[in-house]
Amino acid sequence: MNRIQQRIQDDKKILSIYFTAGYPQLNDTVSIIEELEKNGVDLIEIGLPFSDPLADGPTIQASSTQALHNGMTTQLLFEQLKDIRKTVSIPLIIMGYFNPVLQYGVDAFCKKCKEVGIDGLILPDLPLAEYEAHYKETFEKYDLYNIFLITPQTTEARIQQIDKASKGFIYMVSSAGTTGAKTTFENTQETYFNKIDALALKNPQIVGFGISNATTFNQATKKAKGAIIGSAFIKMLTEKGIVGISEFVKSIRSF
Amino acid sequence: MSYNADEMGYYGEFGGAYIPEMLYPNVEELRANYLAVMQEESFQEEFQQLLKEYVGRPTPLYFAKRLSEKYNTKIYLKREDLCHTGAHKVNNTIGQILMAKRLNKTRIIAETGAGQHGVATATVCALMGLECIVYMGEIDIERQAPNVARMKMLGATVVPAMSGSKTLKDATNEAIRDWISNPVDTHYIIGSVVGPHPYPDMVARFQSVISKEIKTQLTEKEGRSNPDYVIACVGGGSNAAGAFYEYLDIPEVSLIAVEAAGKGVHSGESAATSVLGKVGVIHGSKTLLMQTPDGQITEPYSISAGLDYPGVGPMHAHLFASGRAEFLSVTDDEAMLAGLDLCKLEGIIPAIESSHALAIFNDKKFKPDDIVVVNLSGRGDKDLNTYITYFNL
């Protein structure tokens, strides 16, 4: 069974952490993953850096630029990950933009993901229609879950369509905007979370964008299955590095 | 073979809408409505009236006698440089501002490189009384100060794009991020035939007035609506799309697209996408794109800010791949000399973008009775500083 599927069947709320591969240091990838698993994180999104990350706010943009500057490439990421399944069992997702995947070759990329033990992909600029028409078979051949996004502006009809096409979970973008940390959510977000919950979708939802601390994590997961922290984690890494991971995770959720 | 967009926005293998879900409602609203709106009689009336009375269309199709003598062929210049605001860009911004109003948008955003599209957008926003925010690379803001001032005088807010290379590509990224953050009240006026479907097709349709007029004007002058050649410069490709549009399906008319070779196609400082690009996805469209083997988008270079874009519109990628258009490239030096040449021979100071199209006459030979139309996309006022520095004037 795909590790994402297994994990979402657990009874607990999911804490997912995003980090940019190659940041702060080029070869931090494996240490960050191991440290996150050790500290009880449930799911990890490994960011494949891109020169033009349209959906990202300033924090993740800057980490991507630095990671590329450090020398991160698709090839190198796969090399870093080649023995990752010897040390961790946590579900791993690669999150990135479509162009680097296209250049690597979609089939070759998916094959490599399977080889190193990646469980799913999040490619925000590969939309549903293109995925279903051209790439679905390839993803399925390698048992990779393609995670789709929904936003507060997504119509109910389209949410149903996305739910049907999804496996694992739906990435629920908390509010209109790019990635970035917020300190609290407003009523409009709560209303949105409740509205989605009431749809009783086939796939659980994990909330992303704007989650930064225990308050926003708890608000987001009151109804949803889990939440994703990206920018706030990157900021912590910038300030404290890998040694700060344990304290950061504990500040979000005590076990 | 069709050279226009299909229903999904594809030109052959190029085009489509590779957008994050956050943009889907905005783009889908536009896609679902743009053709119907453009076909409304009231829309066409207002559009045509503004093109005539505000932009100053039709722009002349001018027979360039001395230039023709020099190159021993018949050269006509389509005078888009005489449009209000100084370039063809305003044809599109007029169309899109009317579109935005019909979709009840109250806030307009745009990207700009050299500032021409920014000025054209700020102009129509002033005309319609709509809020206007223009994203411009921090580096471009420094080197295009007069256009920044013009936008401010027209009431626009100019926001510096500080990310990445701080030029056009990054300004476009910032505009897209703004649109993601303002999904309901905002319309994004893209300035070229780039971006997700329906933009390339919509912008090409608004610019197609150029070739429609060429057909009528050439019939009056030569008794035939089809020239032998149409030549236009290509950055993203909006003026070329407009000049080619009515001729796409007429194979007797040869189409020539001229890209910026910068300091030489293989110098590492170039914007010749058809030579250096590979298929990729940029700003929501699958097209030819200058990039590293790892799929990171690279920074192009041209002395002309309007041609300084790492991609090319999907229509042009298809014209290139299918062989329908011939793609040539011209260096900074060749373009600058051709620009000066036009000043001396015809008394017209061209934009450096347009000078690229004029520069091909040195190498490419035409027959004495060939009718060659060059789209003179803009005037050179904005480039005076570059001309002054380059020629030590």
Side-chain angles (χ1 to χ4, degrees):
Chain A
M1 195 196 289
N2 186 300
R3 292 177 201 91
I4 300 171
Q5 193 58 38
Q6 225 156 12
R7 180 55 47 98
I8 57 171
Q9 284 170 2
D10 294 352
D11 201 22
K12 70 187 243 210
K13 297 287 183 185
I14 286 176
L15 170 60
S16 179
I17 295 284
Y18 167 95
F19 74 97
T20 304
Y23 181 86
Q25 304 297 325
L26 182 60
N27 293 312
D28 283 346
T29 311
V30 170
S31 319
I32 291 174
I33 293 171
E34 289 174 353
E35 194 65 14
L36 285 170
E37 181 176 71
K38 204 171 84 187
N39 283 283
V41 164
D42 304 301
L43 203 151
I44 297 175
E45 291 167 28
I46 305 164
L48 179 63
F50 181 49
S51 55
D52 295 75
L54 289 179
D56 286 302
T59 308
I60 294 179
Q61 281 175 47
S63 69
S64 300
T65 305
Q66 185 60 44
L68 291 173
H69 184 76
N70 290 347
M72 186 41 85
T73 65
T74 310
Q75 187 67 46
L76 180 60
L77 178 61
F78 284 132
E79 277 165 34
Q80 291 176 343
L81 293 176
K82 76 178 180 339
D83 294 323
I84 196 69
R85 285 302 171 199
K86 292 183 181 160
T87 53
V88 304
S89 61
I90 188 170
L92 295 173
I93 293 175
I94 290 185
M95 182 166 189
Y97 289 81
F98 187 48
N99 197 50
V101 177
L102 195 63
Q103 298 316 310
Y104 197 88
V106 177
D107 191 278
F109 189 92
C110 292
K111 186 164 179 246
K112 206 75 194 172
C113 283
K114 173 79 179 168
E115 269 174 40
V116 302
I118 296 294
D119 305 292
L121 294 176
I122 305 175
L123 302 170
D125 60 344
L126 176 61
L128 182 63
E130 299 294 342
Y131 170 74
E132 296 214 300
H134 303 293
Y135 304 111
K136 189 171 178 233
E137 279 180 29
T138 310
F139 277 55
E140 288 181 351
K141 183 165 78 178
Y142 298 109
D143 192 28
L144 284 173
Y145 284 8
N146 188 31
I147 309 297
F148 293 102
L149 277 59
I150 61 170
T151 82
Q153 274 70 43
T154 311
T155 60
E156 193 180 323
R158 189 162 167 87
I159 292 175
Q160 299 291 357
Q161 211 182 346
I162 286 171
D163 188 38
K164 218 172 133 198
S166 292
K167 279 183 176 175
F169 65 92
I170 291 175
Y171 192 129
M172 186 168 147
V173 176
S174 67
S175 49
T178 51
T179 56
K182 286 186 186 2
T183 46
T184 181
F185 282 122
E186 326 227 328
N187 289 339
T188 46
Q189 265 104 36
E190 295 254 22
T191 313
Y192 165 59
F193 297 158
N194 291 337
K195 188 190 105 182
I196 299 300
D197 186 57
L199 294 176
L201 300 173
K202 160 171 88 80
N203 293 280
Q205 304 92 50
I206 299 189
V207 181
F209 290 35
I211 322 287
S212 69
N213 52 22
T215 310
T216 41
F217 181 80
N218 290 332
Q219 282 176 313
T221 55
K222 208 187 281 176
K223 292 286 163 66
K225 176 72 184 168
I228 303 156
I229 300 181
S231 298
F233 182 71
I234 302 275
K235 270 186 197 150
M236 185 285 296
L237 278 181
T238 307
E239 285 161 20
K240 298 182 185 155
I242 296 173
V243 294
I245 291 179
S246 168
E247 192 194 331
F248 181 84
V249 174
K250 286 190 182 81
S251 78
I252 305 299
R253 179 174 73 178
S254 37
F255 294 88
Chain B
M1 185 183 287
S2 167
Y3 299 103
N4 279 305
D6 68 16
E7 215 162 282
M8 294 279 285
Y10 276 92
Y11 300 82
E13 67 166 305
F14 304 105
Y18 291 80
I19 45 167
E21 192 63 30
M22 294 80 103
L23 279 181
Y24 182 84
N26 318 31
V27 172
E28 178 58 18
E29 181 186 25
L30 193 60
R31 190 202 61 78
N33 290 296
Y34 82 111
L35 288 176
V37 169
M38 286 175 77
Q39 279 153 15
E40 281 169 18
E41 204 174 309
S42 66
F43 181 93
Q44 277 304 323
E45 253 171 43
E46 202 176 350
F47 182 50
Q48 297 305 334
Q49 193 199 357
L50 284 169
L51 287 183
K52 183 172 173 221
E53 291 169 12
Y54 188 72
V55 176
R57 304 202 72 92
T59 58
L61 182 69
Y62 164 73
F63 177 64
K65 187 162 170 290
R66 297 187 66 208
L67 193 67
S68 297
E69 278 165 8
K70 176 168 177 181
Y71 293 108
N72 196 26
T73 190
K74 291 175 86 171
I75 303 172
Y76 283 91
L77 302 178
K78 180 58 175 164
R79 298 291 309 276
E80 293 301 297
D81 60 313
L82 294 176
C83 288
H84 177 44
T85 72
H88 72 288
K89 290 285 182 192
V90 72
N91 302 328
N92 169 48
T93 60
I94 293 267
Q96 285 205 47
I97 199 87
L98 296 178
M99 180 68 64
K101 280 187 71 174
R102 275 162 179 76
L103 298 176
N104 297 315
K105 305 296 176 183
T106 53
R107 182 175 173 272
I108 300 295
I109 55 172
E111 84 296 338
T112 198
Q116 288 307 103
H117 173 59
V119 168
T121 303
T123 299
V124 297
C125 286
L127 181 68
M128 296 293 167
L130 294 182
E131 185 187 359
C132 180
I133 294 108
V134 179
Y135 289 90
M136 187 168 185
E138 200 180 24
I139 290 176
D140 289 334
I141 286 180
E142 278 166 31
R143 59 185 180 188
Q144 305 287 342
N147 270 345
V148 176
R150 289 166 83 194
M151 286 185 268
K152 286 182 179 165
M153 288 177 73
L154 292 161
T157 306
V158 180
V159 181
M162 325 267 267
S163 59
S165 52
K166 301 171 186 167
T167 59
L168 175 59
K169 148 179 108 70
D170 311 284
T172 309
N173 293 340
E174 289 305 330
I176 291 174
R177 289 180 185 122
D178 180 308
W179 210 20
I180 286 174
S181 305
N182 296 281
V184 179
D185 62 349
T186 299
H187 175 72
Y188 177 18
I189 300 191
I190 295 184
S192 192
V193 285
V194 302
H197 178 61
Y199 278 101
D201 185 47
M202 180 173 69
V203 176
R205 284 169 188 261
F206 286 139
Q207 292 293 359
S208 68
V209 63
I210 300 172
S211 47
K212 284 195 185 84
E213 288 176 5
I214 295 174
K215 281 191 132 179
T216 311
Q217 292 165 324
L218 204 60
T219 305
E220 284 164 12
K221 289 172 198 300
E222 295 282 348
R224 53 186 265 203
S225 61
N226 297 339
D228 296 293
Y229 294 89
V230 180
I231 302 170
C233 63
V234 172
S238 68
N239 92 80
F244 294 169
Y245 197 85
E246 293 290 322
Y247 297 116
L248 289 171
D249 296 318
I250 305 175
E252 304 88 88
V253 181
S254 301
L255 308 175
I256 300 179
V258 186
E259 294 183 312
K263 295 181 179 169
V265 172
H266 299 290
S267 65
E269 290 183 85
S270 168
T273 309
S274 70
V275 185
L276 303 169
K278 284 188 302 172
V279 179
V281 170
I282 183 174
H283 299 143
S285 179
K286 189 188 263 188
T287 189
L288 290 171
L289 170 61
M290 289 169 58
Q291 53 186 314
T292 67
D294 205 40
Q296 308 299 339
I297 298 170
T298 51
E299 195 50 31
Y301 163 81
S302 165
I303 193 166
S304 141
L307 303 181
D308 201 352
Y309 185 71
V312 63
M315 174 205 270
H316 296 296
H318 181 51
L319 292 177
F320 172 74
S322 64
R324 173 65 187 94
E326 181 181 3
F327 277 66
L328 301 174
S329 57
V330 158
T331 63
D332 288 355
D333 292 339
E334 291 167 328
M336 295 305 281
L337 291 172
L340 193 61
D341 210 31
L342 191 73
C343 300
K344 308 260 194 228
L345 287 173
E346 300 289 349
I348 297 169
I349 302 177
I352 300 172
E353 289 81 4
S354 320
S355 300
H356 282 72
L358 293 163
I360 69 159
F361 289 102
N362 288 315
D363 289 327
K364 175 104 184 156
K365 295 301 165 205
F366 298 90
K367 294 200 285 284
D369 59 349
D370 277 343
I371 295 176
V372 182
V373 175
V374 179
N375 196 34
L376 198 70
S377 56
R379 58 177 175 250
D381 307 36
K382 70 178 176 66
D383 295 319
L384 270 188
N385 273 334
T386 312
Y387 278 123
I388 289 167
T389 311
Y390 187 88
F391 290 113
N392 265 320
L393 300 171

